Every structure is written in C-alpha cells, then in structure tokens.
Amino acid sequence: MSGRVISTLLLLALHQLLISPVVAYTALSDHFLKLVPSGGDDFDIKNGKLLAPILIPRVAGTPGQTAAQEHFVNFFRNELPNWKMEWFNSTSTTPATGSKQIPFANLLFKREPPWAKPGQANLLTLVAHYDSKIYPNGFIGATDSAAPCAILMHVARYLDKFVTQMHDEMSALGEGGTVEMDMGVQVLLLDGEEAFQSWTEHDSLYGSRALAEQWEQSVHPAMSFYRNPLDQISLFVLLDLLGAANPKVPSFFQTTHWAYQGMATIEDRMRKLGLLESNPQAPFLPDHDKMPTFSRGSIDDDHRPFMARGVPILHVIPNPFPGVWHKMEDDGEHLDMPTVRDWSKIVTAFALEFLDMMEVEPKEGAEALATG
C-alpha cells in the first residue's frame, strides 16, 4: 500500500473520529430528575393543549393534515419563539391515489447556539411522524403517532429555558466555537410515514425519504465543520407507537446501545425515586444489560432513509406493537395516560442529560418540585 493511500485513509479515519458525536455528558442529579414535569393536563384527550388538537385523522392532503400543521406551528410560534421553523415540502403519487400528486410537509423546529454558523452545531434530533393512515376511514392513530408528537412538544417546551441559560452563560464566558461546545436540539415532525395501500419500499416513508435525500444534497459552505445537515445529527431519536400500557422497547442497534442504556438508566432511576405513575409488568426499556450481540433485524420506520446515509439511530418503538395498532381503537380513549406521561418524563430527562444540562441545574430550593 502506497504512502499516499495510507495518508488518505488516516485522514478519512480522523474525519470520522471528529464528526462522531460527543457523548461524555454528566448524569442528571436526583434533584434535577425530580424537577422534570410530566405534562399533566396538557395530555388530556379532550382539552389538553398538546394532545387533544391532533387526536383527529391526519392524512396527507386532507384538512386534518393542515389542522395538525397549524397546531405545531402555533405552539412553537407562541410558546417557543426562539426555535427556528423550517418547512420541507414534497409531492408524490401513491398506489391509492393514481396520478394525483399528494403533498407532504415535514416540519423542523431547531435551536442552535446563537453564534453558530451554518454547519457548525451538532444537533440532538427528536423525531416522530404526524400523519395517520388513510384506511380505515376515520382512523386517528393516537399511539401512531399523535402521542409521540405531543410528547416531543412537551420536551421542547421544558428544554427551552435550559438551552437559553446554557447559551447565555457560554456567550458571557466567551465559550463556544468548538464541536464539543456547539450543541443544539431540533424537533422533526415527519409526514407521510404511513402506506396508502400496503407497506412497500415505495408506498411508505414519503416524507422521510424525500428529506433524507434533500439533506444529503444540501452541502454547507466550504469551511463548515459538518458537510450537510445529515452530518450534524448527533443522534436521531425516533418515537413511534407510544402510549399503550406495558410497552417493551428493545435495543435495536449496537452502535447506539450506549444511548439506549442512558434512557433505560433514567427510567430505572425515576422508578426507584417514585417519579413515574405507571406500574408496568416490566421496564419500558428492558435491554439495558443486553449482551453485545445484535441481530440484523429491525422495524422499518422513518429512520431507514437516514440510517442508510450513516445517521446514528435510537428507535424508541415497542415490539410487539400495541394491540390497537392500525385498528380504529387506536384513539384517545385507548391511551394509557400514566404511560404517556411517564414517556414524557423519560424522554425529557434523556434530552436534558444528552445536552449536558447539569451545567445549568437549578439550585436546591430555587424552584418547586414538578407536580404536573
């Protein structure tokens, strides 16, 4: 092997090492865990401000799709104005609609450090799909995936003040400008996950396939640290089919088992502290001590187009699926609300910990313990 080839390989290896996500965060204290709220009445299926407005059919190209989009946009615009909003639109034909072009719209809500230039920040990416199946008529999809979308809205709302404090303190100290320091978070709500006729490679994942391709081709300026938006994703955390009692979420990928272990540890600590409401037959995340042997099998979902392009994936989906999966019973009345609220706490705490928010932990007695 020539010296030039060896040098090239070394440079490629160094680049891969540099773009790998930084995961040396500090675990949240018990005090901080006790402050993490559940969302309480905001998840009420009749009047809850997060969940109730999207417990409707949300098929692409229908008024329900528009109503869901307006709910998300108004929430971030009114409650989280510092989050940058972006739309990623595409169209496609489907087996059920013939030659008609169906509109799909992915929504992205992002908070980067205010000093970050394009392609500079690494981004924890929290993901769910918001569309619902076209059949059976009137299908809502409460676990699939209205509840996961509402959970991510709750996560963003609680994260916001800590992200602001972190950025303000870093600016005051003149910090930032390095890969380790320039962390951000984005909530990605995907359209067109569901098949219109039957699940195939082409009749499914309409929004995620279009977006992954677009981001792969969206090259940042020449001096950017990350080549494109895909490279900026430190971890792609996909929530799906959450809200039924007794979920069992496996660890699917060896490369992100460390992240799964982090979330499972948070669940375990919260249960031991008496912070969770549900009383499941087993932990939601039972594979903390899984041996380092992983099968090639996984569940096809919105992560696939991103994983195919090298994005690290944490897939938070029960296996087996909930009993209401793709049935009319997947509605608000069949959600297990203690489980929904517990997931909101677990995912919120995971995001806080991943973003190293112990740096801005509220002081003992500085604010009341969370009750909602």
Side-chain angles (χ1 to χ4, degrees), residues 9-19:
L9 291 175
L10 287 173
L11 286 172
L12 288 171
L14 178 60
H15 177 260
Q16 184 61 43
L17 177 64
L18 288 172
I19 67 171

Side-chain angles (χ1 to χ4, degrees), residues 33 36-40 43 50-51 126-127 142-156 158 237-252 259-260 262-268 270-271 275-280 282-287 314-320 322 335-352 372:
L33 287 178
V36 175
S38 70
F43 289 107
L50 299 182
L51 180 58
L126 306 173
V127 190
T143 67
D144 191 15
S145 267
C149 289
I151 288 168
L152 293 186
M153 295 166 74
H154 169 78
V155 173
Y158 191 68
V237 183
L238 175 60
L239 310 187
D240 202 356
L241 302 183
L242 301 183
N246 295 305
K248 180 183 178 182
V249 174
S251 179
F252 291 100
Y260 178 98
M263 188 177 287
T265 297
I266 285 170
E267 180 196 2
D268 181 64
M270 284 187 145
R271 291 203 184 280
L275 302 178
L276 302 182
E277 299 178 57
S278 62
N279 187 25
F284 291 179
L285 300 141
D287 286 354
L314 178 60
H315 197 189
V316 184
I317 186 172
N319 190 19
L335 287 171
D336 184 72
M337 298 316 299
T339 297
V340 173
R341 291 188 291 265
D342 285 354
W343 275 121
S344 74
K345 281 193 167 189
I346 292 166
V347 178
T348 300
F350 175 84
L352 286 165

